[in-house]
Amino acid sequence: MNQTDIKQEFSHMNEMQRQAVFATEGPLLILAGAGSGKTTVLVNRIAYILRSGLCNPWNILAITFTNKAAGELKERICSTVPEGGGDIWAATFHSTCARILRRYGDRLGYSSHFTVYATDDQKKLCKDIVKQLNIDEKQLPVKNILSEISKAKDKMITPQEMLETAEYDYRKVSIAKVYEIYQARLKTADAMDFDDLLCKAVELFEQCPEILEFYQNQFKYIMVDEYQDTNRVQYRFVSMLAQKYGNICVVGDDDQSIYKFRGATIENILSFENTFKGAKIIRLEQNYRSTQNILNAANAVISNNTVRKGKTLWTQNPDGEKIEIHTAEDERGEAMFIAKTIMDGVSGGRSYSDYAVLYRTNAQSNAVEQALSRSGIPHRIIGGHRFYDREEIRDMIAYLQVINNPHDDVRLSRIINVPKRGIGQRTVAVAADIAAGLGESIYSVIKEADNYPQLSRAAAKLKSFVTLIDGLIEAEESEDYSLAELYNLILEHTNYENYLKTEKENADVRIENIEELSSNIIKFEEDYGDEAELSAFLEEISLMTDIDNYDADADTCVMMTLHSAKGLEFPVVFITGMEDGLFPSIASIMNPEEINEERRLAYVGITRAKQKLYLTKTKSRMLFGSTTYNKESRFVSEIPDELVTKSGEERVRPSYSSGFAQGTGEKVAIGGSKASGAGRFNTYQRPAAQTGVTYKIGDTVLHKAFGKGLIMATEKMGNDTLLEIAFDKAGTKKLMANYCKMEKI
């Protein structure tokens, strides 16, 4: 078959797609806009190379970022090119490097059976080293150390180089010392972590040029998907392989680079033509997914980014409906609007699976999840756990369950050593055996631990735990504490937040979740008034917890973070929390580079929608235990008026007087209202009211979350005081004195 006939087989593709398929020689950057058919281009490009007889299947390396993507790519290649398609190297970066190291790792001192350490293995090893070096884990948590080690490996910085640049910084010196021992211990164990798979492959190529030459000869054509998500070591790996033939094709979209927190380096794609001389750039701008109105909105938003390659998405699809911007009173009103819109749409003939709800932070899922549950809308969460299925939420609910019913052995076993109290699994098993023999609960047995010789060694620790639970039960039965205050007692007397900080990864996110549970409890009390009992709350949430898992193909609405939504598409999309301080996040507002990344995330979210897009925001929002008033997200404001329609309540901001900018919003902390109780928990004190702490204008304070600030105004409100505080980094906040976690300095 001649070239003309072969090229005719690809006539179903658009002009720019065909150009990308036929451009086989030399470096090529395919800037593939959202919904432009990049996977189709990759598959057809490989098919064209093979049908043209340019190489054998095993001379092609196609690298993706996930096993799922690699599997789908290989499946489509085999379907398009039945003969030889299975011999193509289509895999992730990590699996490609592991395959090479299994074969030649002995050159670096590893066997072909080396172990790959997962996160838990890394944490255990790092904990041992921290203990060995007498490092205070409260000052330098293991997760922070491992994060810094991972960043160093992304940049191919050795422990020695890290130590040399640390100079007199105690924290950096400590991390460098841990890093050095960590690598030595990995080597002794014949093990690598995931970052090592990449670094060691590059190290192998550098130390053994004959091995690099072998693979350079093998891979005549190299293709890399999602190139905007590569880090420095991944760039180094593929550029070394491509040095001989120079036939490297990368596919990506700088406007969808949203994984900087994972080490992704957008510079890799921005500087491609400078790195690979003579590179050709082909833009895929025709979108097959969305309406023109949605694309116009996406183009308008992303055009505000300062550093980008530049492209404009267009489509042959109709203009479609306008983007609807809905303003709700609060997050519950926002969630009810979403639920009602879905119900109305389904009544009109749509499927539940047509709908996706996207949010910036996992904690936002709580209100939406409740609204969907109460409306009977089937739903599932992708890329995360259901709110009440998250480990830290299950821990706190288990405490509440045990307070409500101390004879619940399942919940008791979950939290008896969480946080750690030196009560091992063996002790719990012995207590369970005794309880089973007597026909009693574990709690009944451990209350009398002194009477059982088998438990004598652990008796003191068991009795201490019983005292804790009995005290919480007494507080709940006294009716002197609201549910929210009871919840705060649990957090205080278990020191659970500190446990998360020192023992768990993503502690900040986990703490946000347990604060969000506080918000949920407060709302429950507001809804149920005098009937807001602990047992009633536990019954309500059990209805959410027990929902069956839905099959991936089931007719269900889906919920996920904006990061998780990348690569997916839905007929109807809601993006919630479109408020400055939430999206873009408060941490990014003062940093232009971070704002650019947040805007790319907004672009990703907008381009997930095929037919209809809703952007929702609130006049006030309770999140992480505080009520926040934020202005409309700048990303909403960047969409031209002619593309939008508005619904709901027009935003009316609170009339707070302040000489400071309020762009980051004001927060008013909310707490329970019942009087404090006596009994064995009479040591529990509200921070301001019962410690005698008073605040006045001009006081400098240090807040647990917002940092250092200056009190600008005070206003007496009942038994409490509303403080207006100008924080150095977090902006101006409104906080209730009795419930804010801060001290005068």
Side-chain angles (χ1 to χ4, degrees):
M1 187 180 294
N2 60 40
Q3 277 294 306
T4 302
D5 292 336
I6 293 173
K7 289 187 175 182
Q8 186 61 33
E9 294 181 14
F10 301 92
S11 59
H12 62 283
M13 307 178 77
N14 69 45
E15 175 59 27
M16 301 311 293
Q17 288 177 331
R18 287 198 300 273
Q19 284 189 31
V21 167
F22 301 149
T24 60
E25 307 307 304
L28 171 66
L29 168 59
I30 302 175
L31 280 175
S36 61
K38 69 181 179 68
T39 305
T40 297
V41 169
L42 270 178
V43 170
N44 282 276
R45 191 170 188 273
I46 291 171
Y48 175 73
I49 289 171
L50 293 177
R51 289 181 181 174
S52 298
L54 298 175
C55 70
N56 294 306
W58 52 86
N59 297 134
I60 297 175
L61 172 63
I63 297 180
T64 65
F65 268 80
T66 67
N67 288 321
K68 181 175 181 292
E72 290 176 354
L73 181 62
K74 190 133 188 184
E75 184 179 334
R76 289 182 63 174
I77 291 170
C78 290
S79 175
T80 306
V81 190
E83 293 184 9
D87 294 326
I88 291 167
W89 278 47
T92 65
F93 271 103
H94 289 100
S95 59
T96 300
C97 292
R99 184 171 175 180
I100 293 171
L101 290 167
R102 294 288 180 198
R103 184 171 181 179
Y104 293 110
D106 60 314
R107 305 292 183 92
L108 300 177
Y110 294 88
S111 76
S112 60
H113 303 288
F114 63 82
T115 301
V116 178
Y117 272 17
T119 304
D120 288 344
D121 303 313
Q122 292 176 268
K123 285 173 60 179
K124 185 177 186 307
L125 175 57
C126 192
K127 272 181 173 293
D128 290 344
I129 298 168
V130 165
K131 186 176 180 180
Q132 173 189 334
L133 294 176
N134 294 316
I135 294 173
D136 184 352
E137 198 173 329
K138 292 182 180 179
Q139 298 296 321
L140 195 55
V142 163
K143 75 175 186 68
N144 291 0
I145 295 173
L146 288 173
S147 175
E148 291 300 318
I149 291 175
S150 180
K151 289 177 183 176
K153 291 183 178 182
D154 282 350
K155 299 174 183 176
M156 300 196 70
I157 296 172
T158 66
Q160 293 73 28
E161 290 170 338
M162 180 185 281
L163 190 59
E164 289 169 4
T165 58
E167 295 181 341
Y168 299 106
D169 187 320
Y170 171 77
R171 180 178 179 275
K172 292 181 179 179
V173 169
S174 297
I175 293 173
K177 289 180 179 178
V178 174
Y179 184 12
E180 184 175 28
I181 299 173
Y182 175 80
Q183 286 304 109
R185 293 275 295 273
L186 281 174
K187 188 71 174 292
T188 301
D190 193 23
M192 301 183 198
D193 61 22
F194 282 104
D195 293 316
D196 281 332
L197 292 176
L198 301 170
C199 292
K200 295 299 178 184
V202 171
E203 186 180 326
L204 176 68
F205 289 164
E206 290 174 339
Q207 294 187 13
C208 307
E210 73 281 6
I211 296 174
L212 172 60
E213 185 180 12
F214 171 82
Y215 284 107
Q216 286 176 337
N217 287 328
Q218 177 171 342
F219 298 129
K220 188 175 181 181
Y221 293 96
I222 299 171
M223 278 163 265
V224 184
D225 194 12
E226 303 289 3
Y227 191 67
Q228 76 279 351
D229 295 333
T230 55
N231 59 25
R232 288 177 176 83
V233 67
Q234 288 164 334
Y235 154 75
R236 178 75 176 138
F237 175 73
V238 295
S239 61
M240 291 176 82
L241 285 176
Q243 278 174 2
K244 180 169 184 177
Y245 290 107
N247 296 328
I248 179 169
C249 167
V250 302
V251 184
D253 183 0
D254 55 309
D255 289 333
Q256 295 188 70
S257 179
I258 58 173
Y259 293 121
K260 182 182 177 184
F261 67 95
R262 294 182 186 170
T265 306
I266 192 173
E267 287 77 13
N268 287 349
I269 193 168
L270 293 176
S271 62
F272 182 81
E273 62 266 43
N274 296 325
T275 306
F276 297 94
K277 300 302 180 183
K280 185 175 184 179
I281 300 177
I282 295 176
R283 288 173 168 79
L284 303 183
E285 298 175 302
Q286 183 175 355
N287 177 284
Y288 293 91
R289 174 189 298 158
S290 306
T291 64
Q292 190 62 56
N293 277 337
I294 291 172
L295 296 182
N296 288 344
N299 289 332
V301 171
I302 200 63
S303 67
N304 289 278
N305 269 7
T306 52
V307 181
R308 56 191 292 258
K309 305 294 284 189
K311 64 184 177 311
T312 302
L313 296 180
W314 63 276
T315 185
Q316 292 181 343
N317 295 333
D319 287 346
E321 295 185 60
K322 291 186 176 182
I323 290 88
E324 183 168 337
I325 300 172
H326 181 83
T327 305
E329 186 68 33
D330 55 23
E331 73 282 356
R332 284 187 290 179
E334 177 184 57
M336 289 170 60
F337 167 75
I338 292 170
K340 183 180 184 303
T341 302
I342 294 173
M343 292 295 290
D344 290 346
V346 171
S347 297
R350 282 198 178 276
S351 301
Y352 290 114
S353 57
D354 286 349
Y355 295 90
V357 183
L358 312 181
Y359 33 81
R360 180 64 182 83
T361 66
N362 275 311
Q364 291 171 252
S365 68
N366 186 14
V368 178
E369 193 174 356
Q370 288 193 58
L372 298 185
S373 295
R374 289 175 176 175
S375 301
I377 296 173
H379 58 279
R380 57 194 171 95
I381 292 181
I382 294 176
H385 300 291
R386 288 171 44 81
F387 184 78
Y388 285 101
D389 286 344
R390 292 169 183 138
E391 180 185 10
E392 59 278 8
I393 299 301
R394 292 176 67 185
D395 286 345
M396 300 317 298
I397 294 299
Y399 271 105
L400 291 171
Q401 293 277 12
V402 170
I403 293 168
N404 186 60
N405 174 19
H407 304 298
D408 185 337
D409 285 354
V410 173
R411 271 59 178 246
L412 182 100
S413 298
R414 178 180 181 88
I415 48 93
I416 194 170
N417 198 41
V418 176
K420 292 180 180 178
R421 302 182 176 91
I423 302 173
Q425 294 181 355
R426 175 62 182 161
T427 298
V428 178
V430 170
D433 287 343
I434 295 172
L438 297 173
E440 295 182 356
S441 68
I442 294 176
Y443 194 71
S444 299
V445 169
I446 63 175
K447 284 191 77 165
E448 308 295 334
D450 290 330
N451 297 334
Y452 303 100
Q454 308 98 304
L455 297 175
S456 59
R457 294 181 62 181
K461 295 172 182 175
L462 292 171
K463 297 287 272 188
S464 177
F465 173 72
V466 168
T467 300
L468 168 69
I469 297 301
D470 280 351
L472 292 168
I473 291 172
E474 182 178 323
E476 194 273 330
E477 292 177 345
S478 71
E479 297 185 357
D480 290 328
Y481 294 87
S482 68
L483 281 182
E485 289 172 329
L486 178 66
Y487 180 77
N488 288 335
L489 283 180
I490 297 171
L491 291 174
E492 177 187 349
H493 288 279
T494 60
N495 203 16
Y496 190 80
E497 287 191 15
N498 187 62
Y499 157 73
L500 292 178
K501 290 176 182 177
T502 57
E503 298 289 337
K504 296 293 181 181
E505 288 189 335
N506 301 318
D508 292 343
V509 174
R510 293 173 185 266
I511 289 172
E512 287 179 355
N513 287 335
I514 62 175
E515 290 174 346
E516 182 65 5
L517 179 57
S518 174
S519 300
N520 205 29
I521 291 171
I522 293 168
K523 291 190 185 75
F524 175 82
E525 291 184 292
E526 292 172 352
D527 289 344
Y528 287 82
D530 293 337
E531 296 178 4
E533 298 177 350
L534 176 58
S535 57
F537 174 71
L538 294 172
E539 181 179 342
E540 173 163 305
I541 64 173
S542 70
L543 298 175
M544 301 178 205
T545 307
D546 296 333
I547 295 177
D548 294 333
N549 291 325
Y550 285 93
D551 181 80
D553 297 323
D555 185 18
T556 65
C557 166
V558 294
M559 301 167 54
M560 71 193 83
T561 64
L562 285 152
H563 282 99
S564 298
K566 188 168 175 291
L568 302 176
E569 59 183 43
F570 305 92
V572 185
V573 169
F574 299 89
I575 305 180
T576 67
M578 296 299 293
E579 301 141 31
D580 265 16
L582 185 57
F583 187 36
S585 68
I586 193 168
S588 68
I589 284 177
M590 302 306 294
N591 186 325
E593 189 175 323
E594 296 293 335
I595 280 289
N596 282 347
E597 177 121 346
E598 292 279 294
R599 187 173 282 109
R600 291 194 292 268
L601 189 57
Y603 175 82
V604 166
I606 292 169
T607 54
R608 298 312 95 194
K610 297 168 70 175
Q611 299 164 8
K612 179 69 177 181
L613 174 66
Y614 294 89
L615 304 177
T616 65
K617 53 192 176 75
T618 64
K619 292 199 287 185
S620 69
R621 181 181 300 276
M622 181 181 278
L623 197 66
F624 313 139
S626 298
T627 296
T628 307
Y629 301 89
N630 290 323
K631 67 179 182 180
E632 175 180 278
S633 169
R634 63 197 65 195
F635 304 148
V636 174
S637 307
E638 289 167 358
I639 299 174
D641 289 342
E642 63 268 20
L643 298 178
V644 305
T645 181
K646 296 183 179 181
S647 64
E649 310 205 18
E650 286 301 314
R651 177 175 300 278
V652 179
R653 298 199 62 210
S655 56
Y656 293 145
S657 59
S658 170
F660 291 83
Q662 298 180 349
T664 54
E666 305 84 5
K667 292 192 174 184
V668 182
I670 305 296
S673 57
K674 295 187 180 179
S676 63
R680 80 181 64 190
F681 274 90
N682 57 12
T683 56
Y684 171 69
Q685 297 177 336
R686 294 175 177 82
Q690 297 192 16
T691 58
V693 177
T694 57
Y695 300 96
K696 64 182 184 298
I697 295 173
D699 282 348
T700 301
V701 295
L702 183 64
H703 189 276
K704 183 177 181 181
F706 304 133
K708 187 178 178 182
L710 181 70
I711 295 181
M712 307 301 297
T714 64
E715 181 182 353
K716 191 71 175 174
M717 298 182 68
N719 294 324
D720 209 342
T721 303
L722 178 66
L723 306 175
E724 180 178 333
I725 309 170
F727 290 100
D728 291 352
K729 296 183 179 178
T732 301
K733 308 290 181 186
K734 298 271 188 173
L735 303 175
M736 300 304 293
N738 286 358
Y739 295 96
C740 58
K741 300 175 181 178
M742 67 182 186
E743 58 182 339
K744 289 202 288 187
I745 56 175

